Amino acid sequence: MSESQTAPLAGITIVALEQAVSAPMCTRVLADFGARVIKVENPKGGDFARDYDDVVNGLAAHFVWANRGKESITLDLKSAAGMAVLHRLLEGADALVSNLAPGATARMGLGPADLAERHPRLIPVEIDGYGTGGPLSHKRAYDLLVQAESGACAVTGYPDQPAKPGPPVADISTGLYAALSIMALLLGRSRRHENGPAPAVAVSLFDTMTDIMGYPLTYTQHSGVDQQPLGMSSPAVSPYGAFPTRDGQTVVLGTTNDREWQRLAREIIDRPDLADDPRFATNSDRCAGRDVLTDAIAAWCAQHDLAEIQQIADEAGIGNSRYNRPSEVVAHQHLKDRDRWRPVATPNGEISALLPPPVITGFEQPMGAVPGLGEHTDAILTDMGMTADEIAELREQGAIGPQYPTSRDRSTRHA
């Protein structure tokens, strides 16, 4: 049996009107599980994330990360012919995923009500910034803006020095929620009343981030206290943080309960006096006195090398890790020994990418190619039953982009 036949989402087709990260992450996850993802792009440049940078053999790092395993078709959706082609695609699709500007799908006649009438089997999925019905609903939203609005930046960094969490957490998490919603609705489709239209899904970056902010919001809601960010530590537990070692490395040590604290104090830093001190009996007590504990652990770590600290901590059953930079993670032995890297084709040559996190018995994610702009336009239209003359006429009308590869594609392919 071929890999495509064993894929959990084999036979599922997703059409995407997407850009940047949130919707592309949603559809990349679905592609990783074997769905066919048809990425509809504007002939004039396509997904603007294609041009964020050119570090991956002339391609953008964000784009190659979030768009493998997809097919790209260029359609001018401002033209009647381009919109007609889109609707033909939707006739055979299971879901439409979009993250356009607020109100854009409704203006195009692709809102949930429009699709329910014209394509009742289709699951419409809209990702937006702030959801409908509120004073921010009209606003454009990007990852940083939503992280700031949701309070995530206020709990990251240091007091009076807020920071954005490095990865685009709002975009990624929203994309994952959208993908999960599609999978849930596909699973339930056979149990749904077939006469009714498919449910519509709306996921906003703001709702996602306020959900992810569950602990800080719950704490503040019930205490009235805005917890201060602690850099490489946590306001929720203590001791927990990053400490320089004798050999110039940084070790991260953490405790999550009273038993671990006792082992850390007695078996690692050899401070039974702190273990017996009633000021540090509970986690709340230790959070209140974190400065004393942090100083004690820091002093001990400064006298030992990283490897020694990690060995002692492992033997004592205390969680620990090494602080790594991205360049060190790329070369991480744990990834190499577990065979986590795979080749992925791109228009400009092969690259290496990490397998998705789920490890599934009997199935490995296909790690399909990153598409060039409009690379699959002619093939998709041919699959729809169009003749070469009909495709040429669409191209002459400007409803589809130039035949792939364009001159730009040729110039970057060998950059």
Side-chain angles (χ1 to χ4, degrees), residues 8 22 34 40 49 51 60 78 118 174 200 216 258 260 321 344:
S22 59
V40 178
D51 298 313
K78 292 183 179 179
R118 188 162 181 176
T174 303
D258 296 343
E260 288 183 355
S321 69
V344 171

Side-chain angles (χ1 to χ4, degrees), residues 5 92 139-140 151 160 215 233 295-296 332 348 360 379 409 413:
Q5 290 174 312
K139 296 175 70 69
R140 283 185 175 271
D160 300 320
Y215 165 72
S233 187
D295 289 347
H332 207 297
N348 292 2
I360 301 173
D409 294 316
R413 181 171 292 189

Side-chain angles (χ1 to χ4, degrees), residues 146-361:
V146 174
Q147 291 211 40
E149 192 77 41
S150 66
C153 295
V155 298
T156 309
Y158 294 91
D160 300 320
Q161 297 180 39
K164 171 193 173 296
V169 180
D171 281 335
I172 295 170
S173 301
T174 303
L176 293 177
Y177 267 120
L180 179 62
S181 300
I182 292 170
M183 291 183 177
L185 292 177
L186 289 173
L187 178 64
R189 185 161 62 184
S190 62
R191 298 192 292 270
R192 236 179 16 242
H193 195 288
E194 291 300 326
N195 293 329
V201 178
V203 189
S204 78
L205 275 69
F206 184 71
D207 290 345
T208 296
M209 282 308 300
T210 52
D211 182 49
I212 290 176
M213 284 285 291
Y215 165 72
L217 295 183
T218 301
Y219 186 96
T220 299
Q221 183 182 18
H222 293 278
S223 70
V225 175
D226 284 318
Q227 291 178 310
Q228 295 300 299
L230 297 170
M232 286 282 288
S233 187
S234 167
V237 292
S238 178
Y240 192 37
F243 306 95
T245 65
R246 182 172 59 188
D247 56 345
Q249 304 291 321
T250 298
V251 67
V252 181
L253 294 172
T255 62
T256 59
N257 56 60
D258 296 343
R259 294 185 302 278
E260 288 183 355
W261 156 242
Q262 289 292 320
R263 293 201 300 274
L264 187 149
R266 297 179 189 278
E267 300 176 32
I268 296 182
I269 65 172
D270 193 25
R271 290 293 301 272
D273 57 313
L274 294 178
D276 294 334
D277 195 322
R279 293 179 300 165
F280 309 120
T282 68
N283 181 63
S284 295
D285 294 333
R286 293 190 292 276
C287 286
R290 76 169 66 247
D291 290 347
V292 174
L293 304 184
T294 297
D295 289 347
I297 297 171
W300 183 84
C301 289
Q303 300 172 22
H304 298 79
D305 292 346
L306 173 68
E308 180 187 6
I309 294 171
Q310 291 199 278
Q311 180 180 351
I312 293 172
D314 285 342
E315 291 172 352
I318 297 299
N320 64 91
S321 69
R322 179 181 187 268
Y323 165 78
N324 285 314
R325 295 176 177 84
S327 57
E328 294 165 317
V329 178
V330 168
H332 207 297
Q333 194 66 37
H334 196 68
L335 294 174
K336 180 180 179 181
D337 287 355
R338 295 172 60 243
D339 194 25
R340 296 295 297 165
W341 293 99
R342 291 292 183 276
V344 171
T346 81
N348 292 2
E350 190 174 90
I351 63 170
S352 293
L354 287 169
L355 282 166
V359 178
I360 301 173
T361 302

